[in-house]
Amino acid sequence: DKLVTLQDPVLRLMVKLFFDSMIFSPLTISGYFTCRSILEGSGWQGVREKLSTRLVSTVKGAWRFWPLVNVINYGLVPLQFRVLYSNILSLFWTGYLTFVNSKRISRT
């Protein structure tokens, strides 16, 4: 709310959704796959493999999940409850990321 200070509430919401979808989601998903690959011991080769095979589909999944979550969060949830709301829904998102991360890569 401190960064996006537009007066029009609809435009403010659209700008927040844009930043979340186009900047935050790809960066955090890339960071997730990078950390998981390193912690799993597959190193930078594993990072490259996961990013090349899973990043785009996972970002598309984020584009299906987070916009509605954020419309509700930014538009309806009182400011003092936004972190709680987001954290609860992040549990489901983390489950999805774990599922995507654990899928075997099919080699054809």
Side-chain angles (χ1 to χ4, degrees), residues 8-43:
D8 182 0
V10 174
L11 184 58
R12 183 174 55 239
L13 176 62
M14 298 304 289
V15 169
K16 288 179 180 181
L17 291 175
F18 175 81
F19 283 134
D20 183 69
S21 296
M22 302 310 289
I23 297 170
F24 185 71
S25 289
L27 285 175
T28 57
I29 292 168
S30 297
Y32 175 83
F33 286 136
T34 299
C35 290
R36 287 296 303 248
S37 295
I38 291 169
L39 292 172
E40 291 167 353
S42 60

Side-chain angles (χ1 to χ4, degrees), residues 63-79:
W63 291 346
R64 287 189 294 270
F65 180 76
W66 286 109
L68 178 60
V69 168
N70 287 331
V71 164
I72 293 168
N73 195 23
Y74 300 141
L76 301 174
V77 177
L79 185 60

Side-chain angles (χ1 to χ4, degrees), residues 90-106:
S90 289
L91 289 172
F92 295 102
W93 178 248
T94 302
Y96 174 74
L97 285 178
T98 302
F99 170 74
V100 170
N101 183 69
S102 67
K103 287 199 291 190
R104 296 273 181 230
I105 298 172
S106 62

